[in-house]
Amino acid sequence: MMAQTDSSETPLLEVLNLRVEFPTRRGTLVAVDDISFDIKPGEVLGVVGESGAGKSLTGTAVINLLEPPGRIAGGEVRLKGQRIDNLPQEKLRHIRGRQIGMVFQDPLTSLNPLYTVGYQLEETIRTHMNMSEGQARKRGIELLSEVGISAPQDRIDQYPHQFSGGMRQRIVIALAVCANPSLIIADEPTTALDVSIQAQIIDLLKRLCHEQGTAVMLITHDMGVIAETADRVAVMYAGRLAEVGPVQNVIKQPYHPYTKGLMGAIPTVGQKLERLTQIDGAMPRLTEIPSGCAFHPRCPKAFDRCDTERPDPIAVEESKVACWLYDDARVLSGETEQ
Amino acid sequence: MTDVLQDKRPSVQPSGPLVSVQGMSKYFDVSPPFLTRVLQGRPRRALRAVDDVSFDIPHGSTFSLVGESGCGKSTVARLLVGLYQPTQGEIYFDGSAVSQLKTRRHLADFQRRIQIIFQDPYASLNPRWRVRDIIAEPVRTHRLLPEGAALRKRVAELLDHVGFSNKDGEKYPHEFSGGQRQRISIARALAGDPEFLVCDEPTSALDVSVQAQILNLMKDLQKELGLTYLFISHDLAVVSHISDYLGVMYLGRLVESGTASDIFNDPQHPYTRMLLDAIPDLEMSGRKRIPVAGEVPSPMAPPAGCHFHPRCPFADARCREEIPGITESKNVRVRCHAVEEGRLTPEVLAEAAAART
Ligand SMILES: Nc1ncnc2c1ncn2[C@@H]1O[C@H](COP(=O)(O)OP(=O)(O)OP(=O)(O)O)[C@@H](O)[C@H]1O
Ligand SMILES: Nc1ncnc2c1ncn2[C@@H]1O[C@H](COP(=O)(O)OP(=O)(O)OP(=O)(O)O)[C@@H](O)[C@H]1O
Ligand code: SF4
Ligand code: SF4
Ligand SMILES: [Mg+2]
Ligand SMILES: [Mg+2]
């Protein structure tokens, strides 16, 4: 189905001005605020940002699985050009299993403790693909082995609690990819995995991208994984997009002051520092999002304009950066150098 | 049996380790259901999640466990806090054998002094409780503070420690993101003033900046209160940052242990060497990340002799048959025949490294 070669231009997933709200007694919380991005076939978009920045909510909003009272309050989500944010649940359910595979941050929500892992894999495979019981079981065993579960034929009939934390995480990944979806949304898929298994999962995702043109939205706070996997990276802060751009730029020469702080907090092997760099202060609560640029109370570069006007994403080279430092006039006059 | 272990029991001295694990094993019964066994003639099967593991954790220090997914780290954690009973071996806490703690008072005391932060923050928070009650629970259970102002102040303090405001205490767990929930479970673990904190992947759900905040907090608490940690993480950078001592596990066995700096600077066991070579490269310097070669074998049917032999470039006939004992080499304790025999000379190692790239 997928156009194989000239896939470079048409995005597989387009998210336009997405807004997610939680109505509460004390007023409406805006957890995702005016976010736009797209992902092309075969591309991996990394989504990073502090805890509570709205990464998981963005992922769940794309597949319209927000838990009430959370709701999409604005914007559009398009898959292969077709709007999916306003489809009835019935249609969506089909799209979710077949076209979009989801790895939730909490592996246990995707696994039923009462059924064996094999049963759950076979069920999912047979619901979405035309396969016999025997074929589905064979595919299930293959997938377990692809995610690095050794002796899968021995383990496929065990229950989720008989696996280690990292194994359960990998079983969820196997479930998400088993119907060959065209988009995979993976929320912290490798958090509990050691580097070698991580590499194996990354290889699996990359292979799906190359061979089948699968697009991946990879939500993670692990910059090592981002550096190795992502083609582009979106950085979120307080429900907004701070910066989106090619992976080398975001990691090696970030533009946004928040991204710069984020990169400084990463420990490296062999370095036993007394303290790690922290970005001073904490991300604001959703009830107290600062005026203007949401980062301004913590920003070492903040200036008069920042607490009154909200910056829109500004194109800087191949990136888009929501920061007044990169407003045309300043960029041209070279004031941002440092 | 107990007598032999009793003899080894360290005398109660403040200088002795806070935690001492001796010859600890845990086997799980993973047999097929009874009917299947009978009808298909399949045997009972055991899975050795932890196999003859021994280590000490000195007062006020951090001991980290690393190793590939499924090697038994969480099982060690659960054994240490008494959630599983060891199949064999003994755990000593502050000089007392844990299996001998019989009276209610001793057990309650033990449970307060040892706390665990679970790998999965979702499963461990009661969804129907407000966050402030979740955090206050250990204080209430062990009657550490009376209800009222003092307790409220303590909860507010703990919330603040992990980066929340007092108002967040009113909310329920589902109103928080993944990383925020992990911080709630950290606050709860700290609430009972534990001496020994078992942290199973405490920061893997956290982004780097909150991770830095939590790791700094853990270090501060260690300095102020003399806390002792068992720390489990797959992130070797975090481990190297926080650990005094390190244990490397492979398929249930502890294959190398010693001070973290010795192991990071000069790993002895072939598996540890591979593990350190596989660290991802954030500098994007183009250094080839060498993946750990070969598959992790099934823990239900581990290879004979040294479990690592099918993946080890230095394996020989002895490795395939005989379980390696513990050898002291350059300050670290290693289970490896080649190290014991002195076969791993710099030339041999260089050759193997060249062959892999
Ligand atoms: N049901 C809810 N009610 C109110 N607020 C909520 C609810 N669910 C999420 N939030 C808030 O929305 C914000 C974004 O949450 P989200 O789960 O998307 O964060 P995240 O970026 O995935 O963080 P993490 O890295 O910790 O997983 C958080 O501040 C969270 O407290
Ligand atoms: N309750 C149980 N019943 C049967 N097998 C179990 C049980 N708990 C753990 N195991 C098995 O024991 C082995 C070790 O599991 P453990 O959870 O200790 O691994 P781990 O090192 O913590 O891995 P991870 O890094 O993935 O969390 C695994 O093979 C697992 O499947
Ligand atoms: S807009 Fe201002 S406050 Fe915001 S990141 Fe840029 S300089 Fe800092
Ligand atoms: S005992 Fe043999 S197989 Fe095992 S690690 Fe040492 S050399 Fe390799
Ligand atoms: Mg999340
Ligand atoms: Mg574990």
Side-chain angles (χ1 to χ4, degrees):
Chain A
M1 293 288 285
M2 182 81 37
Q4 289 220 320
T5 39
D6 77 324
S7 54
S8 51
E9 284 318 305
T10 32
L12 182 84
L13 176 76
E14 292 164 278
V15 174
L16 299 168
N17 307 103
L18 182 70
R19 183 181 173 94
V20 173
E21 294 182 350
F22 287 94
T24 70
R25 270 172 287 123
R26 289 151 281 164
T28 302
L29 299 180
V30 183
V32 173
D33 191 357
D34 200 13
I35 283 199
S36 305
F37 61 87
D38 51 42
I39 314 181
K40 298 187 198 75
E43 187 181 51
V44 179
L45 176 77
V47 180
V48 302
E50 238 164 310
S51 186
K55 306 182 294 295
S56 298
L57 287 177
T58 305
T60 29
V62 165
I63 52 169
N64 214 334
L65 267 187
L66 290 169
E67 266 180 55
R71 61 184 195 97
I72 298 182
E76 289 183 12
V77 179
R78 293 173 180 272
L79 186 72
K80 298 179 184 167
Q82 188 205 355
R83 266 187 86 164
I84 57 167
D85 54 298
N86 54 3
L87 287 182
Q89 282 300 327
E90 191 50 40
K91 284 226 172 87
L92 260 172
R93 201 159 331 160
H94 190 69
I95 289 184
R96 275 200 293 262
R98 186 68 189 86
Q99 306 218 43
I100 308 182
M102 178 85 197
V103 179
F104 289 98
Q105 191 170 5
D106 170 10
L108 295 179
T109 51
S110 317
L111 290 173
N112 187 329
L114 301 178
Y115 294 103
T116 64
V117 163
Y119 177 85
Q120 299 182 51
L121 275 168
E122 286 159 36
E123 269 299 300
T124 315
I125 294 170
R126 295 194 62 204
T127 311
H128 297 292
M129 304 177 86
N130 190 12
M131 279 196 186
S132 72
E133 224 168 289
Q135 286 169 319
R137 185 174 170 87
K138 190 158 157 276
R139 174 139 176 86
I141 291 176
E142 266 165 31
L143 277 166
L144 287 182
S145 140
E146 284 203 57
V147 295
I149 307 274
S150 51
Q153 67 288 353
D154 279 353
R155 303 211 75 163
I156 191 163
D157 294 317
Q158 294 186 347
Y159 291 88
H161 79 269
Q162 294 179 304
F163 290 87
S164 77
M167 290 171 171
R168 281 198 287 261
Q169 205 169 18
R170 286 178 274 151
I171 291 166
V172 172
I173 294 169
L175 272 170
V177 305
C178 71
N180 287 337
S182 42
L183 173 69
I184 296 171
I185 300 179
D187 195 352
E188 306 283 4
T190 60
T191 35
L193 301 180
D194 49 274
V195 281
S196 58
I197 304 277
Q198 230 173 44
Q200 198 168 346
I201 299 294
I202 289 171
D203 285 347
L204 172 67
L205 290 178
K206 280 188 167 171
R207 204 169 62 238
L208 291 173
C209 291
H210 283 149
E211 290 173 6
Q212 304 182 9
T214 313
V216 179
M217 176 174 170
L218 179 67
I219 302 173
T220 175
H221 62 266
D222 187 330
M223 294 297 169
V225 170
I226 290 285
E228 294 211 15
T229 326
D231 300 303
R232 286 186 305 133
V233 183
V235 183
M236 288 187 71
Y237 184 79
R240 302 174 185 181
L241 212 54
E243 174 165 2
V244 53
V247 62
Q248 293 88 345
N249 291 12
V250 175
I251 288 191
K252 300 228 82 166
Q253 308 156 328
Y255 295 110
H256 199 282
Y258 172 65
T259 319
K260 290 184 181 167
L262 207 57
M263 294 302 150
I266 307 170
T268 36
V269 172
Q271 195 188 18
K272 199 166 181 233
L273 297 176
E274 215 18 66
R275 299 185 74 76
L276 296 168
T277 327
Q278 310 179 180
I279 306 174
D280 285 327
M283 205 172 54
R285 298 150 49 86
L286 294 180
T287 45
E288 296 157 3
I289 302 277
S291 60
C293 169
F295 189 54
H296 85 256
R298 301 171 76 186
C299 180
K301 293 283 179 64
F303 55 105
D304 45 14
R305 192 175 183 183
C306 301
D307 62 355
T308 49
E309 285 177 71
R310 174 173 171 181
D312 277 326
I314 298 164
V316 185
E317 307 213 348
E318 287 168 78
S319 300
K320 283 197 178 139
V321 188
C323 169
W324 288 126
L325 292 173
Y326 300 93
D327 199 16
D328 282 347
R330 303 190 125 242
V331 173
L332 289 176
S333 66
E335 267 183 70
T336 55
E337 288 313 307
Q338 197 257 14
Chain B
M1 187 67 198
T2 29
D3 282 339
V4 180
L5 288 170
Q6 293 284 339
D7 287 342
K8 281 199 246 163
R9 185 173 153 172
S11 53
V12 189
Q13 287 167 349
S15 57
L18 179 67
V19 177
S20 177
V21 171
Q22 294 178 8
M24 179 174 75
S25 300
K26 178 70 190 174
Y27 304 161
F28 290 109
D29 183 354
V30 288
S31 312
F34 175 73
L35 211 57
T36 322
R37 277 208 315 276
V38 174
L39 294 178
Q40 304 181 2
R42 291 213 255 153
R44 291 195 85 88
R45 302 188 71 173
L47 185 154
R48 297 187 175 202
V50 175
D51 191 2
D52 192 14
V53 162
S54 306
F55 58 87
D56 287 347
I57 313 181
H59 281 271
S61 67
T62 303
F63 183 98
S64 294
L65 275 181
V66 300
E68 281 161 297
S69 176
C71 68
K73 304 178 298 291
S74 296
T75 307
V76 169
R78 286 169 172 263
L79 285 160
L80 283 183
V81 297
L83 286 169
Y84 291 146
Q85 301 308 312
T87 312
Q88 270 165 26
E90 184 61 274
I91 301 162
Y92 297 90
F93 182 72
D94 210 3
S96 317
V98 171
S99 65
Q100 304 303 313
L101 296 177
K102 288 280 149 50
T103 68
R104 244 201 141 101
R105 195 169 59 83
H106 282 125
L107 276 175
D109 186 51
F110 171 76
Q111 280 161 7
R112 181 191 64 76
R113 293 169 73 189
I114 298 188
Q115 290 291 327
I116 180 166
I117 299 166
F118 287 102
Q119 186 166 3
D120 183 356
Y122 299 84
S124 60
L125 301 177
N126 187 332
R128 281 180 293 276
W129 285 16
R130 287 184 197 276
V131 163
R132 63 169 147 73
D133 293 317
I134 292 176
I135 295 177
E137 190 226 23
V139 184
R140 290 193 171 119
T141 315
H142 301 291
R143 304 214 178 83
L144 302 175
L145 287 173
E147 289 294 326
L151 180 59
R152 278 199 300 278
K153 179 155 166 285
R154 176 80 181 132
V155 170
E157 213 173 79
L158 288 160
L159 281 168
D160 182 60
H161 264 333
V162 294
F164 288 120
S165 80
N166 198 15
K167 279 190 235 156
D168 291 313
E170 295 303 308
K171 298 188 190 161
Y172 293 92
H174 76 264
E175 295 178 56
F176 290 88
S177 74
Q180 291 167 339
R181 279 182 240 195
Q182 185 63 300
R183 285 187 276 155
I184 296 168
S185 62
I186 292 172
R188 178 185 57 184
L190 293 172
D193 284 328
E195 285 159 54
F196 179 47
L197 204 55
V198 174
C199 311
D200 193 355
E201 305 273 5
T203 62
S204 52
L206 304 179
D207 61 274
V208 281
S209 102
V210 181
Q211 168 175 292
Q213 220 170 312
I214 295 293
L215 293 177
N216 288 338
L217 170 71
M218 286 179 62
K219 283 199 154 187
D220 291 345
L221 289 168
Q222 188 162 50
K223 247 185 245 152
E224 282 166 39
L225 309 170
L227 285 183
T228 306
Y229 297 120
L230 176 84
F231 191 84
I232 296 175
S233 173
H234 66 276
D235 185 335
L236 295 174
V238 167
V239 167
S240 89
H241 172 75
I242 197 153
S243 320
D244 302 305
Y245 301 93
L246 184 64
V248 181
M249 288 185 75
Y250 188 75
L251 277 186
R253 292 184 187 152
L254 192 65
V255 296
E256 179 157 3
S257 63
T259 69
S261 57
D262 281 330
I263 296 179
F264 274 106
N265 291 332
D266 190 11
Q268 300 298 307
H269 196 282
Y271 174 63
T272 316
R273 291 174 194 274
M274 264 193 196
L275 210 57
L276 295 186
D277 279 342
I279 295 172
D281 177 17
L282 195 57
E283 291 300 310
M284 298 176 107
S285 60
R287 168 172 75 86
K288 186 90 184 77
R289 160 173 173 177
I290 310 170
V292 177
E295 262 187 52
V296 188
S298 165
M300 288 165 72
C306 169
H307 289 340
F308 190 54
H309 82 248
R311 300 167 77 184
C312 180
F314 313 111
D316 64 10
R318 185 179 176 206
C319 302
R320 286 185 278 274
E321 282 157 23
E322 198 185 314
I323 300 175
I326 295 171
T327 315
E328 290 263 353
S329 166
K330 302 198 182 157
N331 290 335
V332 299
R333 290 149 49 93
V334 190
R335 275 182 186 270
C336 169
H337 293 309
V339 171
E340 185 211 278
E341 294 160 8
R343 283 202 274 128
L344 300 187
T345 57
E347 298 78 57
V348 171
L349 291 168
E351 209 173 289
R356 282 170 68 204
T357 44

